């Protein structure tokens, strides 16, 4: 069994107890109505559960503020484990992170101790950030409902993004104003749309697109369309959009 803790020295007083010990006593006192044990995830075929890892997110300053230190927390958890399962073996490892590392303490601990799930999440976030920085021009991110212009998010309203998305997903086809009204507005909307409404929303959208305003083209007397542009990239969701046909 593996715990995210530190080695201890004999000088730590065994008399000092942490919140874990009283909690154990309280659980014993209320043994007549035991809480249901947490369920362990299903073990894949061909494997067996041999223990678990408990990540404890707390630095020395927070421990000191609670009247303890990391060594005493380790000893309290070891004692509690020995009381519950005397045959269990324990091993403690300290999580070292750069000073001032941001994020939740437990997330920093998991990453420092090479937890696979934490590493995968960190890598995914880093790749997305790099992708945003690397992509100039216009990024229409349908998966996360956002528009990025020259690596900066654009403050579109919900309806403005829905309008842009509708045109993008129908690339190369001229969409009449009546179709936009029927598809993007419902009877429950506060706004009562008409063709003038569409023109106003398109004008506001173009204003926010700035130098890329021409990606939304006007087809005189008919409506609007989106044509593929060298400066535009589109990120789709992993599953097909229900709006795509």
């Amino acid at each position: 069994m593996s715990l995210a803790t530190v080695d201890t020295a004999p000088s730590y007083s065994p008399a000092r107890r942490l919140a874990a010990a009283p909690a154990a006593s309280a659980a014993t006192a209320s043994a007549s109505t035991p809480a249901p044990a947490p369920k362990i995830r299903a073990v894949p075929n061909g494997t067996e559960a041999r223990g678990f890892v408990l990540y404890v997110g707390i630095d020395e300053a927070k421990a000191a503020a609670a009247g303890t230190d990391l060594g005493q927390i380790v000893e309290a958890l070891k004692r509690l484990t020995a009381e519950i399962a005397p045959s269990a073996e324990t091993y403690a490892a300290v999580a070292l992170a750069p000073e001032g590392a941001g994020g939740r303490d437990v997330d920093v601990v998991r990453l420092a101790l090479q937890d696979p799930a934490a590493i995968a999440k960190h890598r995914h976030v880093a790749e997305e950030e790099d992708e945003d920085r690397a992509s100039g021009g216009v990024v229409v991110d349908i998966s996360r409902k956002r528009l990025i212009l020259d690596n900066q998010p654009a403050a579109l309203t919900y309806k403005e993004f829905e309008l842009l998305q509708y045109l993008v997903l129908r690339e190369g086809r001229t969409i009449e104003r009546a179709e936009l009204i029927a598809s993007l507005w419902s009877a429950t909307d506060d706004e009562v749309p008409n063709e003038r409404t569409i023109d106003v929303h398109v004008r506001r959208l173009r204003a926010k697109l700035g130098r890329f305003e021409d990606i939304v083209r006007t087809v005189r007397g008919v409506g609007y369309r989106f044509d593929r542009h060298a400066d535009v990239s589109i990120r789709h969701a992993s599953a097909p959009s229900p709006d795509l046909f």
Side-chain angles (χ1 to χ4, degrees), residues 102-139:
R104 297 168 58 225
D105 288 336
V106 71
D107 292 336
V108 174
V109 169
R110 291 177 61 198
L111 192 59
L113 294 179
Q114 301 292 294
D115 174 58
I119 292 175
K121 180 179 179 181
H122 179 74
R123 183 179 298 117
H124 178 69
V125 171
E127 288 175 352
E128 286 187 341
E129 291 176 349
D130 289 343
E131 189 177 22
D132 285 350
R133 286 193 294 268
S135 301
V138 181
V139 177

Side-chain angles (χ1 to χ4, degrees), residues 12-165:
Y12 293 126
S13 171
R16 299 189 65 179
R17 288 277 179 171
L18 302 172
S25 300
T28 304
S30 60
S32 58
T33 56
K39 294 182 178 180
I40 304 298
R41 291 181 180 177
V43 177
N45 292 334
T47 63
E48 61 178 351
R50 296 292 300 271
F52 63 90
V53 175
L54 174 64
Y55 295 104
V56 179
I58 186 171
D59 58 28
E60 288 284 11
K62 292 178 181 177
T68 184
D69 57 45
L70 298 187
Q72 293 182 44
I73 296 176
V74 171
E75 288 304 316
L77 292 174
K78 285 184 174 181
R79 286 196 299 270
L80 182 59
T81 301
E83 292 172 6
I84 297 173
S87 63
E89 299 174 340
T90 60
Y91 173 78
V94 66
L96 300 177
E99 290 186 4
R104 297 168 58 225
D105 288 336
V106 71
D107 292 336
V108 174
V109 169
R110 291 177 61 198
L111 192 59
L113 294 179
Q114 301 292 294
D115 174 58
I119 292 175
K121 180 179 179 181
H122 179 74
R123 183 179 298 117
H124 178 69
V125 171
E127 288 175 352
E128 286 187 341
E129 291 176 349
D130 289 343
E131 189 177 22
D132 285 350
R133 286 193 294 268
S135 301
V138 181
V139 177
V140 183
D141 190 346
I142 294 173
S143 64
R144 288 188 281 177
K145 301 291 185 183
R146 63 176 186 164
L147 175 69
I148 301 172
L149 302 176
D150 288 332
N151 305 319
Q152 298 296 323
L156 297 189
T157 65
Y158 174 80
K159 194 64 74 176
E160 287 166 354
F161 187 86
E162 288 294 296
L163 173 60
L164 177 62
Q165 174 179 270

